[in-house]
Amino acid sequence: MRQPRPRRPSATEAQVSSVAKLLEADRQWTIQELAYETVLSHTTVLHILKERLHMRKITSRWVPHSLTEIQKWQRYESAWMHLERYKKKGDAFLHRIIALDEARARAYELEMKRQSNEWRHYGSPRKTKVPQQC
């Protein structure tokens, strides 16, 4: 004889509100972290998030640049100057730029895509992200 299938996880209002309170403070929780913090099962937390709070986990949308017209012209001028230097000095100039870029890249730690995931209600807009300027 077959065993009856387990029912969908049921959650009390207190459990739903505890998950909601945690998400109000920080929307970047993982399901595993929420389950550990609330002492609920992974399945119950997932049920609360999707069925009771109507939330989904989405990633921020990257916006390539948020520059003013002056900043755009400064970049154009800088690129033009680099092109002129390359014409004069050749590959030696390129090797110098790479060394400088690597030093600059260590000045800040770029957030990984997975780290920017947030729980949002269905229909709520995505957060936009502009790469940091050093």
Side-chain angles (χ1 to χ4, degrees):
M1 186 175 266
R2 282 190 189 180
Q3 293 288 334
R5 289 181 67 191
R7 293 183 332 156
R8 293 190 94 173
S10 61
T12 65
E13 288 302 316
Q15 293 169 333
V16 173
S17 67
S18 68
V19 171
K21 283 180 185 177
L22 288 172
L23 288 174
E24 284 175 17
D26 181 13
R27 291 186 179 263
Q28 294 184 340
W29 289 91
T30 64
I31 294 174
Q32 188 175 6
E33 291 169 339
L34 285 169
Y36 179 79
E37 193 70 27
T38 58
V39 194
L40 297 172
S41 71
H42 181 276
T43 314
T44 303
V45 171
L46 186 61
H47 171 75
I48 289 170
L49 290 168
K50 297 216 175 233
E51 304 297 327
R52 302 288 294 275
L53 297 176
H54 306 289
M55 299 184 97
R56 63 187 177 134
K57 194 141 195 184
I58 59 173
T59 304
S60 300
R61 184 170 291 157
W62 281 92
V63 178
H65 296 287
S66 180
L67 302 174
T68 65
E69 283 299 314
I70 293 171
Q71 290 171 326
K72 289 177 186 177
W73 279 106
Q74 287 172 339
R75 284 193 173 198
Y76 174 81
E77 183 182 354
S78 176
W80 183 261
M81 286 173 37
H82 287 324
L83 183 60
E84 291 299 315
R85 286 183 188 165
Y86 175 70
K87 288 177 183 176
K88 290 178 187 173
K89 297 184 181 183
D91 286 341
F93 175 68
L94 291 179
H95 293 303
R96 185 169 179 211
I97 288 177
I98 291 170
L100 291 173
D101 283 348
E102 288 177 286
R104 265 183 79 181
R106 286 189 222 118
Y108 70 95
E109 189 174 317
L110 190 62
E111 187 178 54
M112 294 169 62
K113 184 175 181 176
R114 189 168 220 186
Q115 291 172 319
S116 71
N117 287 349
E118 288 187 348
W119 286 101
R120 295 276 180 162
H121 291 282
Y122 287 98
S124 63
R126 288 183 182 213
K127 226 168 78 174
T128 55
K129 248 187 195 182
V130 178
Q132 297 177 356
Q133 303 293 325
C134 289

